[in-house]
Amino acid sequence: MIPSHVVNRPTGRETGSFLALDLGGTNFRVCEVVLDGHSGARVRQSKHTITEAQKAAPGNELFDFFADCVYNFIAENGQAALTKKYKLGFTFSFAVNQVAINKGFLILWNKGFTNSGVVGADVVALLQAAFHRKKLNIDVTALVNDTTGTLMSHAYIQPSTRVGVILGTGTNCAYVERMENVTKYTPTDTPDAKEIIINMEWGAFDDEQVVIPRNKYDVKVDRTMNVQGKYTFEKMISGMYLGEIVRFVLVDLVKTGEIFKAGASPELNKPNHFETAFMSRIERDHTLDLNDTRTVLEDMLKIPRTTLADRRLVKTLCELVGKRSARLSAAGIAAVVTKMNKLDGCTVGIDGSLFELYPHYSNRMRDALREILGISAEYVVLEQARDGSGQGAALIAALADKQ
Ligand code: ADP
Ligand code: MG
């Protein structure tokens, strides 16, 4: 439960041009957002993939890479643009102890990052220093979690938004809390603030492992992926892990002789070779003999020969793991909305490739919400907040001006 230092929700009337830099986990984006003051925004962006090598490099190299990307992005506006002064919102989607709107210390890495020299450091200062090294005239005015960004950007177009959720590489949630309930934080710069956005870091929910039932595959995923014993809720839900859960089950089924009797493949034994995107493809395969599932298994995973029974079993398995993910994230939303006392109506903005691309994901969430909340589930509206995290950072940079 991390106070975001964001105490204003947007009105939709904010204007101006801002930069945003969005580090999610898989992708890294630079955006220029021009707010039109009528709940609309024009966005130009460039997208980059973070390589495994970059995730393990010394921290300064990672931040220099960010500065290079921003430099090239601004240069597209012409050489003169490079000397212009910009305000930038930094979406940094990791557990940060945020002590001011533009200052926060990384508590721990997750999602496979291990860069040295960043844990315990102020990530805004690291980014600012990288901009200085690159002689860019950019002021990092806001540090934002992607959940907060998503909540804010969705509130810009839909004012009833009170919750922001990420279902991408990782999973997390932010919601609007009444200030009197936040005992760990006193808003010294904004003493009149009535509410504040809280970044829940819900991926770390139940790391004590006493509430949620887990199976041996969850334990295996936890053991083999960073950081052991941490973010165990996230490891049952998000894109970085679902495929790996399925792979571990398949490896087991091969061992017990229940699948791929004609033989498995070295690919199946390689960590992370069964991508969550494969699950989407398999779940979307409605052909009679599961042809597309065959393509995934035989062409991409190099399984020599599969039977229809094999493919059906794989499909059922994907369905089980995918459904569980959707139901657990819905359980989280039900808990948050109940805690907020917003069962009379609340919009939840959701961003991330898993929610956007995984078939049936939102329907499965809806089903679970109905089971948990009954009729009240009808008033909890789940909406796609596409690319909310970057635009939200720009909005917060705009509001930080006023704060
Ligand atoms: P980030 O979390 O880095 O901001 P995204 O929201 O794009 O980025 O999420 C990336 C994650 O989404 C990856 O871990 C990947 O497993 C998952 N993903 C990508 N494509 C699909 C797909 N077609 N179906 C399900 N999950 C996907
Ligand atoms: Mg993202």
Side-chain angles (χ1 to χ4, degrees), residues 24-27 168-169 239-240 276-277 280 352-354 357-358:
T26 305
N27 299 315
T169 308
M240 183 164 176
T276 301
S280 283
S353 295
L354 182 68
L357 303 174
Y358 200 109

Side-chain angles (χ1 to χ4, degrees), residues 21-210:
L21 207 153
D22 177 12
L23 177 65
T26 305
N27 299 315
F28 162 71
R29 288 179 306 162
V30 186
C31 321
E32 183 178 23
V33 180
V34 183
L35 304 169
D36 69 8
H38 305 282
S39 293
R42 205 152 34 80
V43 184
R44 180 173 77 90
Q45 62 167 301
S46 69
K47 194 166 162 179
H48 314 265
T49 315
I50 307 277
T51 63
E52 292 308 312
Q54 283 170 326
K55 289 187 193 173
N60 276 345
E61 286 179 26
L62 182 70
F63 283 85
D64 279 335
F65 168 68
F66 297 161
D68 283 341
C69 294
V70 173
Y71 185 95
N72 294 335
F73 179 81
I74 296 177
E76 284 170 22
N77 281 346
Q79 288 299 308
L82 286 167
T83 53
K84 220 178 113 183
K85 196 169 171 63
Y86 287 98
K87 286 194 169 128
L88 179 140
F90 183 23
T91 306
F92 183 76
S93 307
F94 297 88
V96 161
N97 174 21
Q98 191 149 5
V99 296
I101 189 72
N102 63 348
K103 194 182 184 93
F105 302 91
L106 179 64
I107 300 168
L108 80 165
W109 280 122
N110 62 336
K111 299 186 272 195
F113 283 73
T114 53
N115 310 78
S116 58
V118 189
V119 172
D122 171 15
V123 293
V124 171
L126 292 180
L127 181 62
Q128 197 71 70
F131 287 151
H132 281 310
R133 286 195 288 277
K134 205 72 204 167
K135 303 200 165 43
L136 282 167
N137 194 4
I138 297 176
D139 224 357
V140 185
T141 55
L143 174 65
V144 182
N145 186 270
D146 53 359
T147 51
T148 306
T150 297
L151 198 168
M152 292 291 280
S153 70
H154 207 62
Y156 187 69
I157 53 175
Q158 178 52 264
S160 64
T161 308
R162 295 283 190 292
V163 182
V165 169
I166 296 293
L167 289 161
T169 308
T171 182
N172 190 12
C173 175
Y175 74 103
V176 179
E177 183 58 279
R178 291 217 307 273
M179 195 62 91
E180 71 243 36
N181 292 338
V182 186
T183 50
K184 64 162 80 160
Y185 172 72
T186 327
T188 38
D189 337 340
T190 49
D192 300 329
K194 300 269 183 300
E195 55 180 43
I196 183 167
I197 296 177
I198 301 290
N199 162 20
M200 294 177 66
E201 287 298 321
W202 84 4
F205 171 67
D206 194 37
D207 273 355
E208 307 78 15
Q209 310 208 1
V210 291

